[in-house]
Amino acid sequence: MKLRKVTAASVTVFALALTATACGGDSNGGGSSSGGGKTIKIGIKYDQPGLGLKKPDGSFSGFDVDVATYVAKQLGYKPNQIEWVETKSADRENALQRGDVKFIAATYSITPERQQKVDFAGPYLLAHQDLLVKKDSDITKGTDLNGKNLCSVTGSTSAQNVHKTIAPKANLKELSSYSECVSALQSGQVDALTTDDSILAGYAAQDQYKGQFKLAGLKLSNENYGIGVKKGDTKLVDQINKALEKMESDGSWEAAVKKNFGPADYKNEPAPKIGQIVK
């Protein structure tokens, strides 16, 4: 076997290559599963007040943002090392598979279909489909919607579920965004808006709407919000689960709920037990 002579110059080049590799992080959303990289890319919503919202000044707020920031800290990242990435509902699985983000906290309900494509930590919040109505509304149960105008976004199954199973005589009004539905509710064009109660509470908690709306509290479905990670990254799932357990035990979870949903009188469920999916 012929051996190649190793020169001092080649040793130096090799050492520099190792240093560059160690500093660069991996390609899956930045950093490594154990933290300590330069940055970490986290997927959130940009347009959901109270959950994931990009504000005019470029900062971010919401319950999902607070949860993700806490988890990132436990993984070894400071807030200024987080790169927030907008991940719309239809692109969440692809974003994880492509490695665009390390994990996603974006009202991401855990379902058997999604579990075929990604892995989930959590759940970290149990939400329910509900109704948002005016403070003085007489709508107290689903059947009260018969003959009333019910709003949801185009393509949403929430309003269709209500119309088919609870109030077949409700008048459905589909708009392009929840913001438009909230404005329509405020002006009296519709009598109720339906989607997850956490999303409704986030909108109702906005300064311009404080004191105007209330949640009906109907619990029409169970939505187990989880943190999505790339399929097969069980180590990261375990790390995130430990972080979520710590967030609940030290009071940070409850504080985040009150901060983001409190103004809407959101009657949240207790922090769910990790791994326990309510059907």
Side-chain angles (χ1 to χ4, degrees):
M1 181 173 66
K2 191 173 183 179
L3 297 176
R4 180 182 298 175
K5 185 177 180 181
V6 179
T7 66
S10 62
V11 170
T12 301
V13 170
F14 181 66
L16 288 173
L18 283 178
T19 302
T21 301
C23 294
D26 64 24
S27 60
N28 184 19
S32 64
S33 292
S34 58
K38 285 185 177 180
T39 61
I40 183 170
K41 293 181 180 180
I42 302 174
I44 58 169
K45 295 288 183 66
Y46 275 21
D47 59 353
Q48 288 186 341
L51 287 153
L53 181 69
K54 184 176 183 179
K55 298 191 285 189
D57 64 0
S59 62
F60 297 87
S61 66
F63 182 71
D64 284 346
V65 172
D66 289 344
V67 169
T69 300
Y70 188 99
V71 169
K73 180 180 178 181
Q74 300 306 307
L75 295 178
Y77 298 93
K78 298 176 182 178
N80 62 4
Q81 292 178 295
I82 298 173
E83 182 179 339
W84 301 110
V85 179
E86 182 177 22
T87 48
K88 297 182 178 180
S89 296
D91 195 45
R92 287 179 296 204
E93 287 82 20
N94 290 332
L96 288 169
Q97 290 169 356
R98 291 192 303 260
D100 295 345
V101 293
K102 194 69 175 176
F103 65 81
I104 293 176
T107 60
Y108 205 178
S109 295
I110 301 172
T111 67
E113 295 76 18
R114 289 170 178 164
Q115 287 176 309
Q116 298 298 314
K117 301 176 181 178
V118 303
D119 285 335
F120 285 97
Y124 64 91
L125 183 71
L126 175 60
H128 308 281
Q129 184 185 342
D130 201 355
L131 303 176
L132 186 70
V133 296
K134 282 191 172 181
K135 204 75 171 181
D136 59 355
S137 173
D138 59 357
I139 296 175
T140 59
K141 55 185 182 297
T143 52
D144 291 338
L145 289 169
N146 283 311
K148 301 289 180 67
N149 296 318
L150 174 64
C151 190
S152 194
V153 298
T154 303
S156 168
T157 59
S158 298
Q160 296 293 339
N161 290 340
V162 171
H163 189 252
K164 290 178 180 179
T165 62
I166 299 173
K169 295 182 180 179
N171 304 312
L172 298 186
K173 186 176 182 67
E174 294 184 315
L175 299 177
S176 61
S177 70
Y178 290 118
S179 295
E180 290 183 60
C181 280
V182 175
S183 295
L185 179 60
Q186 183 185 41
S187 65
Q189 296 176 53
V190 298
D191 302 293
L193 160 61
T194 187
T195 187
D196 294 358
D197 54 6
S198 58
I199 297 174
L200 296 175
Y203 277 100
Q206 290 183 287
D207 288 340
Q208 67 266 40
Y209 299 130
K210 284 181 181 178
Q212 298 184 41
F213 306 125
K214 65 181 179 180
L215 293 169
L218 302 187
K219 298 184 179 180
L220 301 174
S221 71
N222 295 318
E223 306 295 335
N224 300 271
Y225 290 174
I227 293 181
V229 306
K230 190 173 184 178
K231 191 72 177 175
D233 197 343
T234 55
K235 180 180 179 181
L236 182 58
V237 169
D238 290 342
Q239 290 174 324
I240 294 176
N241 281 336
K242 287 184 175 66
L244 293 174
E245 289 174 340
K246 183 176 179 181
M247 186 177 188
E248 192 279 327
S249 65
D250 70 13
S252 298
W253 185 89
E254 188 65 31
V257 168
K258 291 180 179 177
K259 168 190 167 187
N260 293 291
F261 304 127
D265 294 326
Y266 179 50
K267 304 299 189 296
N268 65 282
E269 299 278 4
K273 184 178 179 181
I274 299 300
Q276 181 173 305
I277 307 300
V278 179
K279 298 182 179 180

